Each structure stands twice: as C-alpha cells, then as structure tokens.
Amino acid sequence: KEIARLVGMDNIVPCSSEENWQGRFIKLNNGIQFLYDGDVSPAISACCLPGDAISLWDGKLVSEQRTWIMAEGLVERIIPGVGTYRILLKIGGQTLSACVPRSQITDDIQQYAKVKFIFNPAEAHLV
C-alpha cells in the first residue's frame, strides 16, 4: 500500500477475494465486485486502481469493454484541470477518484449527480 501511494495510485480500496464455481472474485469494501483472472495472493487486503482507468459511461459499450465493470456513484466534487478533470465519486461510503478527459464532462456531470462509470478489471492491482 505504501508503494502504491508513493507512485501516486489514486484509489486504494480495502478488498478481499472469494472463489466460487464461476471463478475468483475480488470484492471491494464499497460494494463493487468483479471476476479477476490474474494471480491472487490469499492475503490480499487492497485493490489499487489508477484514476485514469475509470471512465464515465457514455451509454454504450464497445466490444472491448464488455468485460469491464460498471457501477454507479454520486459526484462529490469536480476538479477542473488542463485537458482532464478529476471527479470524486462516492460509492458505498468510500470515495473514488476518476481522471477523465474534458470531453466527457457534460451538463449531466455536476456535483451531487448520480453517474455510471466503468473500469477494466485488468487495470486493478492487488496488494
């Protein structure tokens, strides 16, 4: 976790893993869960997800995104930047930070709005 913070990982969320007949699932403490194909240590305690791996859902999924995870959150704050905006999303009592291109910011994206977002589980790093 310390190395993840040191390299600037935006989101470090407590998690656990669970296996069933479908495969191994990673369960984040904020309620998000996803099937994970990579190697998993039995002692994982956190899922690290870069902010630029989280995208606002535009209402359509292209074929490469079909395995991506979709969730809903409440916009806590929008921080404008040069070319990108940082959006703080409240999900299940935790805040995730998404770094999205300015082009994804529409009139619907405002403080306290519910938004859907997606991320590729392959971008997750487990510690």
Side-chain angles (χ1 to χ4, degrees):
K1 290 181 191 180
E2 290 80 23
I3 292 172
R5 282 186 193 91
L6 182 67
V7 298
M9 189 64 67
D10 297 304
N11 303 291
I12 303 171
V13 182
C15 71
S16 61
S17 70
E18 184 178 294
E19 195 164 350
N20 66 23
W21 63 274
Q22 293 176 303
R24 180 168 305 280
F25 282 86
I26 302 302
K27 293 185 171 192
L28 306 184
N29 284 9
N30 59 15
I32 297 172
Q33 67 178 4
F34 54 91
L35 192 59
Y36 189 76
D37 291 333
D39 291 332
V40 177
S41 163
I44 66 164
S45 63
C47 176
C48 304
L49 191 62
D52 60 358
I54 300 172
S55 296
L56 296 176
W57 185 54
D58 61 2
K60 57 189 172 212
L61 290 175
V62 294
S63 62
E64 70 213 22
Q65 294 173 327
R66 296 213 189 276
T67 59
W68 287 32
I69 306 309
M70 182 187 300
E72 188 173 83
L74 189 68
V75 175
E76 280 190 328
R77 189 168 172 208
I78 302 168
I79 305 165
V82 178
T84 61
Y85 279 39
R86 181 167 304 278
I87 300 177
L88 302 181
L89 300 162
K90 188 78 158 183
I91 301 109
Q94 292 182 324
T95 301
L96 291 183
S97 176
C99 205
V100 300
R102 175 183 269 172
S103 61
Q104 284 193 341
I105 304 301
T106 63
D107 291 339
D108 297 338
I109 309 301
Q110 51 189 302
Q111 192 172 16
Y112 309 119
K114 282 188 180 180
V115 295
K116 291 183 179 178
F117 62 93
I118 58 175
F119 68 91
N120 184 346
E123 295 282 338
H125 304 276
L126 304 174
V127 294

